[in-house]
Amino acid sequence: MSVLAGLSQSSVTRLHKLREKVDKNKADHLSTLEKQMSPSENFKTYRTALRNALKQHTCVIPFFTLLVKDIHTTCEIKKTKVEGTELINFEKCWELAGHLVEFQKYQSGVCDLQSDGNIQEDILLAKILTEDGMMFSSYEIEEPVTVNDKKRYKAFLEKAPKQRMESFY
């Protein structure tokens, strides 16, 4: 989900020339992934793909935020006690347990991914850019085309170089 969020940033989507150079097969994979992560019908497509992966004992890295959302929703909607009594609402307990058991199943998949020290090093040493920093970098890669992009790029260039770069991290 984080990768998709990053690729959908305006600083990336505006890079049309760069997107044209992306291999069609990889672009198709990205399109499939975007469809699977669609939030429509409470992430129905994603949940279906996740269940299918579990059935095949495939390596699964779940979208943790969705699990937290499910648990939060259950806690908010279902009452802890049966209404009008002091009895515990076991329906809520079973539903919460179901979320946790499902999450626990993700650990059972076989994951044959090898650790890559180069990638880990790149991630650890990468500079984290602000939104303005990403946009400025995209202008450096591909010239602004729209009127708004040209105005924004001009505003970046008008800042003092040192001030401009420091504000991007």
Side-chain angles (χ1 to χ4, degrees):
M1 187 57 114
S2 297
V3 171
L4 287 176
L7 291 173
S8 66
Q9 292 285 324
S10 59
S11 56
V12 177
T13 58
R14 65 168 296 282
L15 299 172
H16 299 290
K17 291 176 186 174
L18 186 64
R19 283 183 174 257
E20 289 172 1
K21 293 178 182 179
V22 174
D23 179 72
K24 176 153 174 35
N25 195 22
K26 290 184 177 168
D28 290 344
H29 283 300
L30 178 61
S31 178
T32 300
L33 187 58
E34 286 172 338
K35 289 175 187 168
Q36 283 183 340
M37 294 306 294
S38 169
S40 64
E41 297 184 59
N42 196 18
F43 292 91
K44 182 179 180 181
T45 308
Y46 166 75
R47 293 175 192 274
T48 301
L50 203 58
R51 283 189 201 99
N52 290 339
L54 280 174
K55 288 176 186 174
Q56 297 170 7
H57 300 289
T58 307
C59 181
V60 174
I61 302 172
F63 181 37
F64 187 71
T65 305
L66 192 57
L67 171 71
V68 172
K69 178 186 149 288
D70 290 344
I71 291 172
H72 177 74
T73 301
T74 301
C75 288
E76 289 296 312
I77 291 175
K78 307 268 182 173
K79 298 198 181 297
T80 303
K81 303 254 177 154
V82 176
E83 198 167 326
T85 70
E86 288 297 313
L87 301 173
I88 296 172
N89 182 356
F90 283 105
E91 183 180 333
K92 177 181 179 177
C93 296
W94 279 113
E95 197 168 319
L96 288 171
H99 293 310
L100 297 175
V101 166
E102 182 179 355
F103 192 74
Q104 192 175 28
K105 287 179 185 177
Y106 302 141
Q107 296 176 347
S108 66
V110 177
C111 192
D112 59 354
L113 299 174
Q114 299 298 316
S115 177
D116 186 328
N118 293 331
I119 292 174
Q120 289 175 339
E121 184 177 343
D122 288 346
I123 290 171
L124 290 172
L125 298 177
K127 293 181 179 176
I128 299 173
L129 296 174
T130 64
E131 192 171 332
D132 282 346
M134 290 187 298
M135 190 58 81
F136 183 78
S137 294
S138 78
Y139 293 142
E140 295 289 301
I141 294 167
E142 196 171 297
E143 285 185 7
V145 178
T146 67
V147 174
N148 285 340
D149 278 348
K150 288 178 181 179
K151 286 180 184 176
R152 192 169 184 185
Y153 185 55
K154 184 179 177 182
F156 285 136
L157 293 176
E158 289 173 354
K159 292 181 180 179
K162 185 177 180 187
Q163 177 191 2
R164 182 179 70 225
M165 291 313 293
E166 286 176 0
S167 67
F168 292 158
Y169 297 104

